[in-house]
Amino acid sequence: TSSAISKEPTQEPDNWRVYIKRLRQWIALLPASSKVHLSKEDMAQIMEFGPQVIYTVGETVTALRLAYVISTKLAIPIVIHFMDNWKHSVEWASNPLLKGYQRRLSKYCDLCYSRSTNCIAIGDRMAEVYQRETGIPHSVIMNSVDVSAFACESRERDGTLRFVYAGGLHLGREQALRAIGECIDCICEETGRQADFSIYTSAENIETHSEQFSHLKNTRICNAVPHEQIVEVYKRSDILVHVESSELESNEFFKYSVSTKISEYLATGRTILFFGPKNISLFGFLAQNKLAYTVSDDHELTEVISAMFNGMKNEFSQNARKYAEKHFDISVARKRFEAVIDSVDLPDSAK
């Protein structure tokens, strides 16, 4: 089925603009591969502090190399917390200039693994794959939130079904959001129902993408609000929207990634609509746990949004809030993190 989220990725023409783009990406990663020299004074201060564990999100050659050097000097273990799939691919994997960087990244990742007995992944699917590959347990810690602070009471209905999206318009998300806006317009025109779709995003995204939404009657592009005010935005919604596209699906770096907004969305107890490819981690996570309406093509999208005008499943919103309390609350994340730090040790081969 044709869909705004499943279009073939555009192939870059092999011209000077591409070469400049690749060169800029290579330059951008130079600081991420630079050598950091630890002086005697640096090591003295580190030893005075007396660390027992090194925690790192890795992601760069510099961070991993530094973690490995300190680990070997002090004979202490390393915990890597993976947020994206940089273990297998850099974000700009198609750039041939970055092949050497990827090799060094993989090398130091393996070296850090050789100094660990426990690591952390952002999601269950990543944890399962990485544990199978390395033999090392990976606990799961996603973006943690104060669930009670995000709770949203039922909104008094005013005759308008209100959809809200808060986030970026990169990685093809603008196409999926536009498709939702077009679907809402179609339904409103056919049925006479009223709806509002508010998209909160950065000024940079508005400047780049707002023209693509100018033809939509029920969609508004709004400036992003400070994070401490985002709950007020959520409270004005009936449905919170999240989208992904085939650009995320085809980028190995984001293969297991989960948007940091998801834990906030779940904590609100609001109904969630997810529109994205079926074979990405987030789709499976939301669908299997019955946390959201999950759709993957334009036909399903029309069916689900049409049904939403006639009422929504309370089961999804109730499940979402309970799941957030059990897995994403800061108190839960803290206990899980402490358990990893307390249990990690140097492997016998490194002692």
Side-chain angles (χ1 to χ4, degrees):
T1 306
S2 174
S3 174
I5 60 171
S6 58
K7 294 178 180 177
E8 289 297 318
T10 304
Q11 296 296 317
E12 290 183 326
D14 205 19
N15 56 35
W16 67 270
R17 288 187 179 86
V18 175
Y19 297 142
I20 294 297
K21 181 180 178 181
R22 289 172 177 172
L23 185 59
R24 284 176 175 168
Q25 291 170 348
W26 179 78
I27 292 171
L29 284 180
L30 284 177
S33 59
S34 60
K35 289 186 178 180
V36 177
H37 174 70
L38 290 173
S39 66
K40 290 182 179 180
E41 291 77 11
D42 293 330
M43 283 307 303
Q45 290 181 9
I46 292 172
M47 294 177 71
E48 184 181 353
F49 177 71
Q52 296 169 297
V53 179
I54 298 169
Y55 168 84
T56 178
V57 294
E59 197 166 341
T60 69
V61 172
T62 300
L64 292 169
R65 183 192 286 127
L66 192 58
Y68 178 72
V69 168
I70 296 173
S71 172
T72 55
K73 285 181 179 294
L74 300 187
I76 57 177
I78 298 170
V79 172
I80 312 174
H81 191 164
F82 293 90
M83 302 294 190
D84 296 296
N85 191 34
W86 52 264
K87 179 176 181 293
H88 294 137
S89 175
V90 294
E91 183 174 354
W92 304 308
S94 62
N95 187 340
L97 298 178
L98 302 181
K99 288 182 179 179
Y101 178 85
Q102 180 65 67
R103 285 195 296 270
R104 292 194 299 276
L105 192 65
S106 297
K107 169 190 171 183
Y108 280 100
C109 181
D110 290 343
L111 286 172
C112 286
Y113 264 131
S114 73
R115 312 287 298 176
S116 182
T117 57
N118 205 338
C119 288
I120 305 172
I122 197 171
D124 291 326
R125 188 175 171 191
M126 177 190 274
E128 290 168 9
V129 172
Y130 285 15
Q131 183 165 332
R132 187 167 62 247
E133 291 176 348
T134 65
I136 294 174
H138 286 68
S139 299
V140 177
I141 301 178
M142 208 183 288
N143 183 45
S144 58
V145 296
D146 181 353
V147 172
S148 61
F150 281 90
C152 296
E153 300 298 326
S154 297
R155 190 182 76 83
E156 188 174 337
R157 298 299 170 85
D158 56 6
T160 300
L161 192 61
R162 302 192 180 277
F163 298 77
V164 163
Y165 171 80
L169 305 183
H170 55 306
L171 292 171
R173 287 176 179 171
E174 79 285 356
Q175 298 172 15
L177 291 168
R178 187 174 66 244
I180 292 174
E182 290 169 348
C183 181
I184 290 170
D185 279 0
C186 238
I187 294 169
C188 289
E189 188 173 340
E190 290 175 1
T191 64
R193 307 294 284 269
Q194 293 186 337
D196 175 83
F197 184 22
S198 299
I199 297 172
Y200 289 83
T201 193
S202 67
E204 181 182 356
N205 277 320
I206 291 173
E207 183 179 354
T208 305
H209 300 289
S210 61
E211 188 61 32
Q212 299 181 47
F213 299 88
S214 60
H215 65 292
L216 301 175
K217 296 177 181 178
N218 298 287
T219 299
R220 297 181 300 123
I221 307 296
C222 311
N223 283 306
V225 301
H227 191 257
E228 60 269 19
Q229 297 174 21
I230 195 64
V231 177
E232 296 305 312
V233 170
Y234 296 159
K235 286 179 179 178
R236 294 195 290 270
S237 73
D238 296 305
I239 299 148
L240 293 174
V241 174
H242 189 68
V243 297
E244 297 295 356
S245 78
S246 57
E247 289 189 36
L248 181 77
E249 181 185 15
S250 61
N251 192 321
E252 190 75 10
F253 179 80
F254 295 109
K255 186 174 183 178
Y256 307 113
S257 303
V258 178
S259 170
T260 55
K261 286 289 177 189
I262 294 302
S263 52
E264 295 180 3
Y265 275 18
L266 296 175
T268 65
R270 284 287 191 262
T271 297
I272 300 170
L273 169 64
F274 175 75
F275 183 33
K278 275 187 177 180
N279 58 345
I280 64 172
S281 294
L282 184 55
F283 190 105
F285 164 69
L286 294 172
Q288 289 163 17
N289 292 292
K290 297 182 179 180
L291 304 176
Y293 288 89
T294 50
V295 297
S296 61
D297 61 51
D298 296 339
H299 176 69
E300 288 180 339
L301 184 66
T302 301
E303 284 191 340
V304 167
I305 293 180
S306 295
M308 284 176 165
F309 279 94
N310 299 315
M312 289 165 280
K313 294 180 181 179
N314 289 331
E315 176 192 11
F316 285 158
S317 53
Q318 290 170 0
N319 288 349
R321 180 63 195 273
K322 289 176 183 176
Y323 196 95
E325 289 174 343
K326 185 176 180 180
H327 297 279
F328 298 144
D329 191 73
I330 51 176
S331 61
V332 175
R334 186 182 297 117
K335 288 178 182 177
R336 196 170 295 173
F337 181 77
E338 288 173 352
V340 172
I341 296 300
D342 289 343
S343 65
V344 71
D345 195 4
L346 283 172
D348 291 340
S349 59
K351 290 180 180 177

